Amino acid sequence: MKTTKKLMTLIMVIAMLAMIFSGCGSSSEPAAEEPAADVPTYHCITEASFPPFDTTDEDGNIVGFDMDLMNAIAEDQGFKVDYTDMVFDSLIPSVESHQYDIITAGMNAEDPERQKHVSFSDTYYDSALMVVVKEDSTVTSVDDLTTDMIVASQVGTTGADMCNSLADEKKIKSATIIDAFSDCMLQLKNGDVQAVIIDKPVAQAYINKIEGFKMVGEPMNAEAYGFAVAKDNTELLEKINAGLKNMMENGTYDKLLEKWFN
Ligand code: GLN
């Protein structure tokens, strides 16, 4: 009889201990967070030799005004983004073929040829092409370029179009079209080319950082940058436009201008 009693007591103690310890983890800790509903990730592409819009940091991460603005739009509109770097002239085919989702590359949205292949968001930055020469050059504008001069710009860009037009019109010796803006400037520094045609904000950022160059003459065109998506991706385009509008209205856009341009 005594043994049975002892056994019953032991069982009750074990049961009580089990209740106490099993209850420890349930009430005090918050319920595990519900997994967030599926948040889509859109894959962005850029050409990361175009600072301050698109460049890389010391760890090789793709950063810039375009990335910060798209990141803010994504957060505002409930999606995630990642970035891949590639040569500029592969950007439009990559989005047109749905290999990637968004072009974030300081791309002129007001180009009718481009508009045949992708849809652009509302524009977010007004720009223009400028001629860049070495500090000691006698060139004071595009009109001073001569038929013994070679002019460089970046493949697939409006600057490349401008260079090729000047060559076609026999106003320069030839156009050198290169993958990266930084390499255009290297060829200018080495004397392989006598001028570079590139976007004014990018030229200005470069000249602010690296001595020995100057912008000359008047803006050669007028551009307005937009983000681009495949033509049938209207839902994503609407999200980008809505987010962009919100960022412009809530001051985020101005803060990013301050961060990247001053
Ligand atoms: N704004 C120019 C264009 O749209 C250059 C863009 C760039 O080099 N990232 O072609």
Side-chain angles (χ1 to χ4, degrees):
M1 188 51 179
K2 264 190 177 175
T3 320
T4 316
K5 211 171 168 188
K6 273 185 182 170
L7 192 57
M8 288 302 288
T9 312
L10 183 61
I11 290 169
M12 278 171 64
V13 166
I14 291 169
M16 278 168 65
L17 285 173
M19 274 170 63
I20 292 165
F21 285 111
S22 68
C24 274
S26 57
S27 55
S28 57
E29 288 172 11
E33 270 189 39
E34 285 301 309
D38 274 352
V39 175
T41 296
Y42 293 113
H43 306 295
C44 303
I45 46 177
T46 190
E47 191 288 322
S49 79
F50 198 65
F53 294 96
D54 318 295
T55 184
T56 51
D57 65 13
E58 56 280 356
D59 300 323
N61 302 309
I62 298 174
V63 296
F65 177 79
D66 283 343
M67 285 76 225
D68 279 1
L69 181 55
M70 182 47 71
N71 292 341
I73 290 169
E75 188 178 347
D76 181 72
Q77 292 295 306
F79 60 85
K80 292 186 182 307
V81 286
D82 58 30
Y83 299 95
T84 301
D85 179 18
M86 58 178 70
V87 287
F88 192 85
D89 61 349
S90 57
L91 296 174
I92 287 181
S94 299
V95 158
E96 187 175 23
S97 62
H98 291 87
Q99 251 185 301
Y100 290 89
D101 301 306
I102 309 172
I103 297 173
T104 54
M107 185 176 276
N108 181 29
E110 296 174 340
D111 179 320
E113 187 53 35
R114 288 173 176 174
Q115 291 168 353
K116 290 179 192 164
H117 299 279
V118 292
S119 297
F120 284 94
S121 71
D122 295 336
T123 55
Y124 62 86
Y125 195 93
D126 292 334
S127 183
L129 293 173
M130 292 293 286
V131 175
V132 181
V133 293
K134 288 173 90 168
E135 193 72 65
D136 60 357
S137 168
T138 56
V139 171
T140 61
S141 79
V142 63
D143 299 330
D144 289 344
L145 297 176
T146 59
T147 51
D148 61 350
M149 292 180 180
I150 303 171
V151 183
S153 192
Q154 190 179 12
V155 66
T157 68
T158 50
D161 293 345
M162 190 66 78
C163 279
N164 287 326
S165 304
L166 291 170
D168 294 346
E169 293 159 15
K170 307 265 184 277
K171 291 185 176 164
I172 59 174
K173 180 178 180 183
S174 63
T176 295
I177 305 304
I178 305 172
D179 280 1
F181 163 62
S182 44
D183 292 337
C184 295
M185 294 306 291
L186 214 54
Q187 292 217 8
L188 180 59
K189 182 180 177 206
N190 298 339
D192 299 330
V193 302
Q194 287 67 53
V196 168
I197 293 179
I198 195 70
D199 301 43
K200 185 172 181 179
V202 172
Q204 190 59 68
Y206 191 94
I207 291 165
N208 291 348
K209 231 170 100 181
I210 298 172
E211 287 183 358
F213 304 97
K214 60 186 176 185
M215 268 190 286
V216 294
E218 295 305 310
M220 302 172 78
N221 72 346
E223 296 195 10
Y225 300 169
F227 299 114
V229 299
K231 289 195 82 66
D232 59 357
N233 211 339
T234 44
E235 188 189 338
L236 177 54
L237 190 62
E238 284 161 8
K239 284 183 184 175
I240 293 171
N241 283 335
L244 179 57
K245 183 170 180 290
N246 291 342
M247 293 309 105
M248 288 191 164
E249 288 174 354
N250 71 12
T252 301
Y253 177 82
D254 291 336
K255 285 196 188 99
L256 292 178
L257 283 180
E258 185 65 28
K259 171 181 175 183
W260 288 99
F261 293 92
N262 295 316

